[in-house]
Amino acid sequence: MKIIHAASELGHGNRKVCLAIGVFDGIHLGHQQIIRQTIADARLHDALAVVITFDRHPNSVVAPDRVPQWIYAPSQKIEAIKALGTDAMWEIHFDREFSQLSGEAFISELVRDFGKIQSICVGADFVFGHRRSGNVALLKKLAPELGFQVHGLAAVSLDGQAVSSTRIREAIRAGNFDAASQMLGRPYTICGKVVAGDRFGRQLGFPTANLDVTGMTLPPNGVYAAATLISGRFYQAALNIGLRPTLNSPAPQLRVEAHLLDFEGDLYGSEIEIEPGQKLRDERKFGSRDELRHQIGLDVAAVRSLL
């Protein structure tokens, strides 16, 4: 899959393009349906399948008080789109200037820049453009003049409810990983870059990989049995999400840190995905560091027993 930053980078010559447009956070079952329809159109018409998405949630510019937390880190999103068989992905930089484009102007620019658009596929409820002026109705109005087909696909249902990014966030926050995974169509994982911590875990004899998860949707605080894949090898992990109350920090910060069982090596600067599983216990404050060390030992033993 080719990642482009402008239509001119696609290098498609005279071939038409089929576009899937959306925020696509999580690349859940509904998003997959949209992208697969786009790929099917492209194969049918000897065109290129291109996913158009955005480098940040539009609300971060137009409604900064209502910005949802992400389900997927950027790298996860890219890999999920690539796995579907897309030819290219264009992640548009969403800024104040771009937010002022009307829905009609946005589509007209896409036609101008790509030259020949065979089809545009979106979710039936997708809106775009300044003041949400673009929708499926607008696309169908423009289609005859601009020469493309329109697919406005209804949401995928699971357990009698529409699959949505909002519903997945709710499942994650409730610790319902099975439901989140079903809607994602793959196991739910937490992804983040390993950053330097205060080495408190190492002092206790349980070094941890501290993940930068800024802006991400997270499960409830607590300790979880988890798993990760590092350089092709599977590792069990004790995953802690919380504020570490035993340390009595005057300004506690939420941490996501994983002790990888039997791992030796340096992960700083690398990005890892951790799949949380069974919750072992809630976060709680211990009377001393020795008590905490003892409990972590029990947590690790509990993780090993789940293999």
Side-chain angles (χ1 to χ4, degrees):
M1 182 179 76
K2 187 174 185 178
I3 297 177
I4 63 175
H5 302 92
S8 59
E9 295 178 8
L10 184 59
H12 56 302
N14 291 324
R15 293 181 71 183
K16 293 183 178 182
V17 297
C18 296
L19 305 179
I21 307 175
V23 177
F24 297 135
D25 184 23
I27 317 297
H28 58 58
L29 295 177
H31 299 149
Q32 292 171 39
Q33 175 181 249
I34 292 168
I35 294 170
R36 287 194 172 105
Q37 176 66 60
T38 303
I39 293 170
D41 280 359
R43 301 299 173 261
L44 182 63
H45 297 282
D46 190 30
L48 293 175
V50 181
V51 172
I52 295 181
T53 186
F54 310 101
D55 67 347
R56 65 202 68 194
H57 197 283
N59 279 9
S60 64
V61 174
V62 300
D65 57 331
R66 292 187 284 111
V67 182
Q69 293 177 308
W70 291 109
I71 297 168
Y72 268 3
S75 61
Q76 287 177 294
K77 182 175 178 177
I78 290 170
E79 286 303 311
I81 291 173
K82 180 180 178 181
L84 292 171
T86 312
D87 294 308
M89 185 189 89
W90 180 7
E91 191 175 64
I92 292 175
H93 176 56
F94 198 102
D95 56 14
R96 178 61 62 182
E97 180 181 356
F98 181 78
S99 74
Q100 299 301 308
L101 270 182
S102 69
E104 183 170 351
F106 173 53
I107 298 303
S108 296
E109 287 195 3
L110 290 179
V111 173
R112 180 198 68 197
D113 293 345
F114 280 111
K116 298 177 181 179
I117 295 178
Q118 173 63 38
S119 66
I120 295 178
C121 190
V122 297
D125 296 329
F126 181 61
V127 293
F128 57 95
H130 186 56
R131 299 187 184 278
R132 302 163 68 90
S133 56
N135 51 28
V136 172
L138 175 69
L139 290 174
K140 289 182 175 179
K141 177 184 174 183
L142 297 175
E145 176 188 348
L146 298 178
F148 57 79
Q149 297 176 329
V150 178
H151 301 286
L153 300 186
V156 171
S157 291
L158 190 65
D159 298 329
Q161 298 182 59
V163 172
S164 68
S165 297
T166 298
R167 190 178 163 200
I168 294 171
R169 292 186 193 100
E170 290 171 351
I172 294 169
R173 292 183 184 124
N176 192 345
F177 305 136
D178 285 344
S181 297
Q182 287 178 20
M183 290 185 281
L184 288 167
R186 66 184 72 82
Y188 162 68
T189 59
I190 301 170
C191 182
K193 186 176 181 180
V194 178
V195 296
D198 53 17
R199 296 183 174 268
F200 178 65
R202 186 175 297 277
Q203 294 170 28
L204 295 178
F206 300 96
T208 59
N210 297 273
L211 274 59
D212 180 0
V213 290
T214 305
M216 302 297 295
T217 304
L218 294 174
N221 290 3
V223 178
Y224 298 83
T228 187
L229 195 66
I230 306 292
S231 299
R233 181 179 169 185
F234 170 85
Y235 291 93
Q236 291 175 284
L239 174 67
N240 180 70
I241 301 173
L243 300 172
R244 305 191 301 174
T246 304
L247 297 189
N248 293 316
S249 172
Q253 294 182 325
L254 184 68
R255 299 289 187 103
V256 175
E257 47 192 356
H259 172 65
L260 277 55
L261 278 60
D262 306 317
F263 175 80
E264 294 183 6
D266 183 1
L267 292 172
Y268 289 124
S270 61
E271 191 173 65
I272 63 173
E273 286 187 69
I274 295 184
E275 181 182 346
Q278 180 179 325
K279 188 174 185 180
L280 303 177
R281 63 177 174 87
D282 291 331
E283 181 179 47
R284 67 178 189 266
K285 183 175 181 177
F286 293 90
S288 68
R289 296 190 177 193
D290 285 340
E291 283 186 29
L292 175 57
R293 179 186 292 111
H294 176 71
Q295 180 59 57
I296 294 175
L298 296 178
D299 296 336
V300 169
V303 172
R304 288 193 187 279
S305 72
L306 294 173
L307 182 63

